[in-house]
Amino acid sequence: QVQLAESGGGLVQPGGSLRLSCAASGSTLAYYGIGWFRQVPGKEREGISCISATDDSTWYADSVKGRFSISRDNANNAVVLEMSGLKPEDTAVYYCASERFVHYSCSVLHEFDVWGQGTQVTVSS
């Protein structure tokens, strides 16, 4: 079974950029639909982006559209989330997860059964 591990979080000033990586072991990540989620303590988890297993089509939540970009790094068996124009409200723990079943298009509403441990992103001056 695939195992996932996020990296790349940290402290960044408003307007800055970060590159998060979701690295896989145990299986080839290119076969999986992958979602990125974030959560702030006391708030519901928010699905922000995903990439499909079939044609690498992507989806973004309105809150990050135009600022975040998801892509595959197959050479490193990973999925990358490039984040730019970061805002204080982007502060959260960011998680990647793999879809349990293969779907033609990805959706953060699908069932995700494998999750990484999360990486903290803090946007503050």
Side-chain angles (χ1 to χ4, degrees):
Q1 188 181 16
V2 67
Q3 295 179 317
L4 304 176
E6 304 91 340
S7 62
L11 173 64
V12 63
Q13 292 187 341
S17 300
L18 281 176
R19 182 178 188 269
L20 303 185
S21 179
C22 174
S25 60
S27 187
T28 301
L29 204 57
Y31 300 154
Y32 293 83
I34 299 297
W36 280 97
F37 300 79
R38 64 186 182 186
Q39 189 163 25
V40 176
K43 294 190 176 181
E44 286 191 5
R45 184 175 62 205
E46 177 188 14
I48 58 172
S49 184
C50 62
I51 186 165
S52 87
T54 56
D55 62 357
D56 287 349
S57 57
T58 58
W59 173 88
Y60 301 93
D62 288 343
S63 57
V64 305
K65 196 175 296 182
R67 301 187 297 122
F68 290 13
S69 177
I70 189 172
S71 62
R72 294 191 183 274
D73 178 4
N74 290 334
N76 291 299
N77 202 25
V79 168
V80 171
L81 186 69
E82 301 270 8
M83 308 188 296
S84 62
L86 285 163
K87 306 174 182 180
E89 51 263 43
D90 293 318
T91 296
V93 178
Y94 283 69
Y95 300 89
C96 64
S98 60
E99 287 183 329
R100 183 177 182 186
F101 302 109
V102 175
H103 299 273
Y104 182 77
S105 298
C106 71
S107 171
V108 294
L109 300 180
H110 289 160
E111 183 179 357
F112 289 79
D113 63 341
V114 177
W115 294 78
Q117 82 287 352
T119 186
Q120 176 70 47
V121 171
T122 303
V123 185
S124 175
S125 55

